[in-house]
Amino acid sequence: MAKDIYLLGGGGHASVLVDMLKANGVKVAYICSPNVDPSRKTLSTIPVLADEDVLLNKGPVELELVNGMGSLPGNALRKKLFCKFVEHGFSFKQVISMQAVISPYTSLGHGVQIMPGAIVQAGAVIGDNTIINTGAIIEHDCIIGKHNHIAPGVVLSGQVNTGDYVHIGSGATVIQNISIGEDTVIAAGATVTKSIEREKIVFGARANIQNRKVKQ
């Protein structure tokens, strides 16, 4: 028997996921969020629970979660919600657009979300709770850590390896055989041609690097 789908979050990322789920023939039973934008048509007809903690009383057997929180540098809410509910035994549904191209020779983690136009090639491994956003290209044998956000239009050439909690901004390019340490931010449009240590910010076409003070 199929479980009811509960969506955590009521903003822009959540609205895109609902659109994708509908296209996949999946109905969202409830949105769990204290703030839902009533102007978003994809969300307007779905019942709302203002406090996600009521789900803890229902238990993980009855339902499956979708993490509708977006992911931005410095905002750990998406990760915190995921870890909180996983610790209580809940499962997170993968959401994969029918307009994405995913090799059958990939490994996709718990709650992974892959948006329209994305390409994930053979041998790639995508960690739990990671977003591969619109039009991103993950080439062969890349290993992407947990809680990553690979933003729209990113290109990761073959055998790129990222740690956990990495954000790679829109339109960035990472050449082959590069490692990116955990808690690192690659700014939009950056070109990365050498490996990056953990807790750095990388920006610009010449990949200028700064230390990053991480707040989890």
Side-chain angles (χ1 to χ4, degrees):
M1 182 177 177
K3 295 182 179 182
D4 287 338
I5 304 299
Y6 284 67
L7 177 71
L8 304 179
H13 186 66
S15 70
V16 173
L17 292 174
V18 169
D19 194 26
M20 290 166 55
L21 288 164
K22 285 182 177 179
N24 291 343
V26 177
K27 180 181 178 181
V28 174
Y30 288 92
I31 296 170
C32 301
S33 176
N35 299 300
V36 178
D37 185 347
S39 69
R40 297 186 183 278
K41 294 182 179 180
T42 55
L43 307 180
S44 62
T45 61
I46 303 173
V48 176
L49 299 173
D51 184 359
E52 74 270 358
D53 283 347
V54 301
L55 302 182
L56 300 177
N57 298 324
K58 291 180 175 292
V61 175
E62 299 181 23
L63 56 93
E64 190 171 27
L65 301 178
V66 170
N67 196 345
M69 298 303 301
S71 177
L72 291 171
N75 185 344
L77 181 56
R78 177 181 172 85
K79 181 200 74 172
K80 288 179 179 177
L81 281 174
F82 181 87
C83 293
K84 171 183 174 180
F85 282 99
V86 167
E87 287 173 1
H88 284 86
F90 287 82
S91 62
F92 279 81
K93 184 178 182 62
Q94 294 177 352
V95 184
I96 300 174
S97 172
M98 292 191 299
Q99 297 171 322
V101 178
I102 314 296
S103 167
Y105 302 103
T106 61
S107 175
L108 305 181
H110 197 43
V112 163
Q113 297 167 355
I114 303 180
M115 303 308 195
I119 299 173
V120 183
Q121 298 282 28
V125 177
I126 312 298
D128 295 347
N129 197 40
T130 282
I131 301 169
I132 308 298
N133 221 318
T134 308
I137 298 174
I138 312 298
E139 269 297 343
H140 65 88
D141 303 306
C142 289
I143 299 177
I144 308 303
K146 298 177 182 179
H147 314 291
N148 276 215
H149 182 192
I150 311 301
V154 167
V155 176
L156 303 185
S157 299
Q159 298 178 303
V160 171
N161 190 324
T162 72
D164 296 341
Y165 321 119
V166 169
H167 178 97
I168 302 183
S170 298
T173 299
V174 183
I175 70 166
Q176 66 274 9
N177 299 313
I178 292 295
S179 294
I180 297 173
E182 66 180 55
D183 289 312
T184 286
V185 175
I186 308 297
T191 299
V192 180
T193 59
K194 61 182 179 180
S195 292
I196 307 297
E197 296 178 357
R198 60 177 294 165
E199 298 178 13
K200 302 296 183 183
I201 299 175
V202 181
F203 59 95
R206 295 185 179 181
N208 298 306
I209 301 172
Q210 295 181 350
N211 292 326
R212 181 180 179 223
K213 187 176 182 179
V214 177
K215 294 182 180 179
Q216 296 295 338

